[in-house]
Amino acid sequence: MSFSRWLAHPRKPRLARQEEGGHLFSGSPLCYPRQVREVSFYRTKAGHCPVEEFLDALSGKQAQKVVWVLRLIEELETVPSQYLKKLVGTEDLWEVRAQHGGDAFRLIGFFDGRRLLVLTSGFAKKTEKTPRQEIALAEKRQQDYRSRRHEHE
């Protein structure tokens, strides 16, 4: 997914390092970091996207930090639990964790297969535990997503 909408400076491709004797070959191909996972945002049947609305409501720097974490999730083979953690007490919900200054932000989602992480909602974390209503909302959206996906198969 392209997150450039929330970035002040969207990522630019970099030259692949093909060194020989300390010199970079001219005409090196452009490359992007390898994508291990794909992050997607849940949309309601009417096209409403709660995660986009959450990101739009954040300050520029806050949104950039959240997007930075989403890119880590897409690119790292093993994501540290400070950024992605399974929610205890749920069957298969995961929590994306971002922090900016003293503010903590969470996005909740689930995996559709091994590579696709579908995020259903986002919120500013104010308490130690993830609010039960946020978990219930994510479970409801997960059921909606799966039922609509099966309709199209």
Side-chain angles (χ1 to χ4, degrees):
M1 170 169 237
S2 171
F3 303 112
S4 59
R5 169 177 167 182
W6 295 282
L7 296 176
H9 305 293
R11 175 182 299 172
K12 295 182 177 124
R14 57 181 158 62
L15 288 176
R17 297 193 76 58
Q18 297 178 350
E19 295 185 13
E20 182 177 283
H23 302 327
L24 184 65
F25 288 125
S26 61
S28 297
L30 295 177
C31 72
Y32 290 89
R34 193 177 125 228
Q35 189 173 0
V36 176
R37 277 170 221 84
E38 180 183 349
V39 174
S40 177
F41 297 162
Y42 163 84
R43 287 191 180 278
T44 66
K45 197 170 190 171
H48 172 74
C49 185
V51 175
E52 285 180 356
E53 291 178 5
F54 169 72
L55 289 172
D56 287 342
L58 298 177
S59 75
K61 291 200 181 282
Q62 291 169 332
Q64 287 176 26
K65 182 61 182 258
V66 172
V67 167
W68 181 82
V69 171
L70 295 177
R71 283 187 167 165
L72 281 181
I73 291 167
E74 285 190 331
E75 296 170 5
L76 293 179
E77 189 73 40
T78 303
V79 181
S81 62
Q82 76 185 73
Y83 300 119
L84 181 67
K85 188 173 180 185
K86 183 174 181 312
L87 278 174
V88 176
T90 68
E91 195 164 317
D92 60 352
L93 291 181
W94 291 76
E95 181 179 62
V96 173
R97 310 164 73 152
Q99 188 132 357
H100 182 267
D103 299 320
F105 303 102
R106 301 292 187 261
L107 297 122
I108 298 179
F110 57 92
F111 278 92
D112 181 1
R114 302 194 85 209
R115 292 189 63 244
L116 179 62
L117 175 61
V118 180
L119 298 175
T120 61
S121 60
F123 61 97
K125 187 160 183 190
K126 308 273 186 208
T127 61
E128 188 71 26
K129 286 189 152 197
T130 302
R132 186 69 203 143
Q133 69 268 20
E134 292 291 342
I135 293 171
L137 180 60
E139 290 171 337
K140 180 181 172 192
R141 289 176 175 165
Q142 179 184 28
Q143 288 174 344
D144 175 59
Y145 171 89
R146 293 196 192 284
S147 69
R148 287 191 289 132
R149 185 191 66 190
H150 290 304
E151 289 173 6
H152 293 61
E153 289 181 346

